[in-house]
Amino acid sequence: MFHYFEKVRIYRTILLSYVLILVIPLISSFIIYQISIHKIKENATENSKNLLNQTKDTIDRKNEELENFVYQLSINQDINQLIYRKGKTTSNYVYDIYKIKNSMKPYGYTNTLFQDFYIYFNEIDTIVSPKSSYVRPKDFYNNHVYQDISYEDWMENINKGYHARQYLPSTKVQIMKSTKSIITYIQSIPLDTKKKSQANIVVMMNEEEIGGLLNRISSQYDGASFIHDVDGNIIVSDNMDASMVSFNQSTKKYSIKDNKKKYIMIESKSDNNKWTYVAIISKDKLAEDVMYIQTVNFTIALITIIVGLCIAIYFSYKHSIPLNRLLGIMSIPETRTVKDPYDFIHSNVEDIIANNDHLKGQIQDQLPILQDSIIRKLVTGEISSSMDAMALIEQANIPLKGAFGYVGIAQIIHIFHTVDKDMLNEMNVAQLVIQNELNDIFQGAVLYCNLGIDQVVFLMSYYKKPSFQEERKLEESLHLLLNRLEDKYSLKVNIGTGKKFEQFIDIHQSYEEAKLSLPLIQSMDDTASVYTYTDQSYDEKMDFYYPIEFELRLMNAVMNGNTDEVRELLDKVYVENVKERMLTQQIGCQILASLNGTIMRLLSKNTQLKKITVDEILEHIEKIKSKKIEFEKDMRLISGMMMEITQLIHEKKIVGSQRIIYKIKEVVKNTASDPNLSLYKISEMVDFPEKMLPVIFKEHTGVNISDFIEDVRLNFAKSKLIQTDDAIVDIALHSGYNSAHSFRRAFKRNTGVSPSEYRKMMNKESE
């Protein structure tokens, strides 16, 4: 067989072509591969820098949360009053400290960063924390012993010194019986003081809060990572070895020490607090990745060569047969020698077509399909250069007058929500009607194609830049088209036009502008109109209803778990933007983007939501961003996500409130016999603010807490009156009343009879 192939010149030519096609890309890929290997380290370094920047952004956000928390403390009225108190003998001193301690408790519940903090008041030499207060700071220090700082230095440098957003490097602190690595943040208050401290807010952050984020960088590239401040003090580090880096005191910068051939160092500086984030990457780890890529690349190249040669041999044989047959049926003059079969076939193709009327007719029939395809490519931007566009236009004989003109879209106004056979038939007929009317009005000087089931895209071209009169005539013709379609066929369409194009590759831009000019949501009740895209300022383009105060109100409603208010506000967004304004494509996109942003902010504020639920919501948001906008459907999806978040928050609040109510009831039942029982004592025992206690109890039980206490006491007294012969005075005292008189008065108010009458009445019934 190979002996036969060698005699077939066409086969050898085709085989050589396939081999060249196979070899050239392989050579190119080898060159590209060599370049790529050099780029791998750069890419790995860039990836590490991206990861470092992500870590920096995350830590910056934590620092912002910390500073917002400190700011909230600095504006607390109770704290500000205590700052300027002179001495500890002033009246209500103990009560003021107690109020501040209670007001500080909720902060530790909201964020793990704030679980261990205190305020040192300079004037009264007192420390107040959410857990306790210390009139002797030495007692607090004994429970929070800094291993490298003495008590005197701790008082002088941390508590009494002036500090503005200062972080102390990580150090070991023995808290009770455990030892932790702590990063200390200090801020002097009031914030407007200059170099003088009235009080210091000190936050003792667990190093793991930040160090855990750095571990991602260290573990990925078998290196290390650390953060240092402007003075070169290392705030926190992960997998650091002192032999890795050296510090230049004059430049305040770190550099690789003796291992320049082993490590790469990357830095990123934060604009928030001037910290420098450093990642040290192992070159050995990068080399492992390179070796793996080399092995895979060589294996794939070898397989490609073997498979490519087999395919080349097969297709060379397969394609040479029909060419030989074609040469066999062509008459070759005796005086002419065929040196190249391809040149011979090419030179005779025109004669074959000219002498074959059937073939000529088939080519002519296919021409409209080719023209439609090229118009679609021009409109959708698939042609990348003017030269390519001109070549295709000439090839398909498309009757474009010149490179100037307009693109318009005729969009059918319909009420169909689902695609079925009947709807498609109606739309096809409607598109044909629009095309016929376009031809009639513009006397065949318009090109068109169907894009989608409800649109006809048309293109008007001119030899030169259209004059003002030509623009007016185009506008009048489009209004005439609207009237004809509605009067003759009861067909309502909206027409959108883009700005004029001045070269073929701008046709796509004009088409996109025409799309943006059309209303996003259409109604059969709307009047058919012509919409022209114009350059507007950014603010005018974004003219939609979603003010900042409205967003804050919506977020508050979600955070409060108020589903009715959330539903009402979302309905208002829809009505204001869809009913009261013309909703264009870009406005619809902006509304959805704003609502998605609100959801993201809600998720960031509610870290206690289930991770599964948060992941599902984030997945839905990504789907909305990545697909074509469907405003009605997307609004329903976003509204559903907001309602789901609201419901989850509402359920969490109910569960938390139910626990508090249960604890209150148990405390009251166990301590009702105490005549000095008060809201203050109950709030201490259930660890809940005294002011909020009666509010939450009334809200969830419908009963005042004082009435509940009285019911518990009187129910106990009733059982004693029935089951014992104890004196009324004794029963009153055991029921929690200070005197028999107050007991009788409360009993009669509750039951309508006195205790003695109640006992007689119940004894008669039992007899």
Side-chain angles (χ1 to χ4, degrees), residues 234 239-247 254-255 257-259:
I234 296 179
N239 202 30
M240 267 293 293
D241 186 345
S243 63
M244 285 183 177
V245 295
S246 60
F247 180 67
Y254 284 88
S255 59
K257 205 171 188 181
D258 299 324
N259 300 315

Side-chain angles (χ1 to χ4, degrees), residues 41 48 114 128 171 175 326 343 346-347 361 364 369 475 521 638 650:
K41 291 182 180 180
S48 299
F114 319 141
V128 181
T171 186
I175 302 176
L326 184 59
D343 290 339
H346 181 267
S347 63
Q364 197 65 32
I369 299 174
E475 187 177 348
I521 297 178
I638 289 173
H650 178 67

Side-chain angles (χ1 to χ4, degrees), residues 459-701:
L459 191 152
M460 286 292 299
S461 63
Y462 300 89
Y463 291 113
K464 59 181 181 179
K465 192 173 182 179
S467 63
F468 177 74
Q469 289 78 11
E470 287 174 318
E471 291 176 353
R472 289 294 302 273
K473 185 178 178 181
L474 173 63
E475 187 177 348
E476 291 170 2
S477 299
L478 294 177
H479 280 97
L480 176 61
L481 174 64
L482 290 183
N483 296 333
R484 276 200 193 181
L485 292 172
E486 192 160 3
D487 295 341
K488 291 172 64 175
Y489 308 102
S490 297
L491 181 62
K492 293 174 70 173
V493 300
N494 281 327
I495 295 177
T497 59
K499 293 191 297 185
K500 57 178 171 286
F501 59 85
E502 297 184 359
Q503 52 182 341
F504 292 129
I505 57 172
D506 289 341
I507 290 175
H508 170 62
Q509 178 65 29
S510 184
Y511 164 70
E512 291 295 330
E513 292 165 351
K515 276 201 308 183
L516 291 174
S517 68
L518 287 168
L520 185 59
I521 297 178
Q522 302 181 105
S523 170
M524 292 299 292
D525 298 329
D526 294 339
T527 304
S529 302
V530 175
Y531 299 92
T532 303
Y533 181 89
T534 56
D535 284 322
Q536 297 171 311
S537 69
Y538 184 82
D539 291 336
E540 289 171 339
K541 286 183 181 179
M542 302 305 127
D543 182 22
F544 62 92
Y545 180 81
Y546 197 65
I548 183 65
E549 60 272 13
F550 185 91
E551 182 186 24
L552 291 174
R553 185 181 167 194
L554 178 60
M555 290 179 68
N556 286 335
V558 174
M559 299 285 283
N560 292 330
N562 192 335
T563 54
D564 292 336
E565 186 178 0
V566 172
R567 189 178 293 106
E568 178 185 335
L569 293 173
L570 289 172
D571 289 342
K572 184 174 177 63
V573 172
Y574 181 85
V575 170
E576 287 289 339
N577 288 292
V578 176
K579 305 294 185 184
E580 304 297 331
R581 291 167 172 77
M582 192 194 88
L583 190 66
T584 64
Q585 180 83 14
Q586 51 189 159
I587 289 178
C589 290
Q590 286 297 315
I591 294 168
L592 296 177
S594 297
L595 289 169
N596 282 334
T598 302
I599 292 176
M600 296 295 288
R601 283 188 281 279
L602 285 168
L603 293 179
S604 67
K605 288 177 178 292
N606 290 276
T607 55
Q608 295 179 350
L609 292 176
K610 291 181 180 177
K611 187 177 185 306
I612 297 174
T613 303
V614 172
D615 290 343
E616 289 176 353
I617 292 173
L618 292 175
E619 185 178 345
H620 287 316
I621 291 175
E622 288 302 318
K623 283 183 180 177
I624 293 174
K625 290 180 181 177
S626 61
K627 70 178 183 62
K628 181 181 177 183
I629 180 174
E630 299 176 74
F631 188 80
E632 298 274 2
K633 183 178 177 182
D634 293 342
M635 272 296 294
R636 286 195 298 272
L637 185 58
I638 289 173
S639 298
M641 288 189 286
M642 278 207 185
M643 294 303 296
E644 183 178 358
I645 295 171
T646 307
Q647 189 62 36
L648 286 171
I649 293 173
H650 178 67
E651 290 172 359
K652 279 186 172 291
K653 286 195 172 185
I654 288 176
V655 170
S657 299
Q658 287 175 342
R659 288 200 194 100
I660 293 295
I661 298 301
Y662 175 78
K663 287 170 70 176
I664 292 170
K665 288 182 176 180
E666 288 299 307
V667 166
V668 170
K669 289 175 184 177
N670 294 331
T671 60
S673 59
D674 180 6
N676 296 319
L677 181 65
S678 63
L679 286 179
Y680 169 73
K681 286 189 175 182
I682 297 173
S683 70
E684 281 285 296
M685 286 185 276
V686 301
D687 195 20
F688 195 78
E690 180 183 349
K691 291 181 180 179
M692 295 298 298
L693 203 65
V695 177
I696 193 172
F697 193 87
K698 173 76 172 179
E699 181 182 343
H700 288 275
T701 64

Side-chain angles (χ1 to χ4, degrees), residues 128-187:
V128 181
S129 74
K131 298 176 182 177
S132 185
S133 56
Y134 301 84
V135 294
R136 293 187 306 172
K138 180 74 172 178
D139 294 339
F140 182 88
Y141 180 80
N142 290 336
N143 292 331
H144 301 76
V145 180
Y146 282 75
Q147 290 188 359
D148 300 327
I149 304 175
S150 66
Y151 170 72
E152 290 75 17
D153 290 340
W154 177 72
M155 284 296 296
E156 188 65 28
N157 298 328
I158 295 180
N159 293 331
K160 293 185 177 181
Y162 175 81
H163 303 276
R165 300 173 62 192
Q166 183 174 356
Y167 292 84
L168 298 184
S170 174
T171 186
K172 298 289 185 182
V173 177
Q174 184 176 345
I175 302 176
M176 304 302 287
K177 295 183 179 179
S178 62
T179 301
K180 297 180 181 178
S181 294
I182 296 298
I183 300 172
T184 305
Y185 173 86
I186 317 168
Q187 174 65 55

Side-chain angles (χ1 to χ4, degrees), residues 184-209:
T184 305
Y185 173 86
I186 317 168
Q187 174 65 55
S188 298
I189 56 175
L191 298 178
D192 57 356
T193 56
K194 300 295 183 182
K195 304 300 180 182
K196 183 180 180 182
S197 169
Q198 296 291 341
N200 279 352
I201 300 172
V202 182
V203 183
M204 304 169 71
M205 295 183 291
N206 193 336
E207 182 190 11
E208 294 178 359
E209 289 284 340

Side-chain angles (χ1 to χ4, degrees), residues 6-52:
E6 289 174 356
K7 294 181 179 180
V8 181
R9 192 170 182 182
I10 292 176
Y11 169 78
R12 291 200 305 270
T13 305
I14 294 175
L15 180 59
L16 180 61
S17 300
Y18 276 124
V19 171
L20 284 173
I21 291 170
L22 177 65
V23 170
I24 291 172
L26 283 173
I27 295 173
S28 301
S29 65
F30 177 76
I31 295 171
I32 293 169
Y33 162 74
Q34 292 298 325
I35 296 171
S36 300
I37 289 297
H38 292 290
K39 291 291 182 182
I40 287 175
K41 291 182 180 180
E42 295 179 14
N43 291 338
T45 304
E46 187 65 28
N47 291 337
S48 299
K49 190 163 187 177
N50 290 337
L51 185 58
L52 187 66

Side-chain angles (χ1 to χ4, degrees), residues 428-447:
N428 287 335
V429 172
Q431 287 174 327
L432 286 173
V433 167
I434 294 170
Q435 292 170 5
N436 288 334
E437 291 299 327
L438 280 168
N439 264 329
D440 188 34
I441 291 173
F442 292 99
Q443 299 177 351
V446 64
L447 300 174

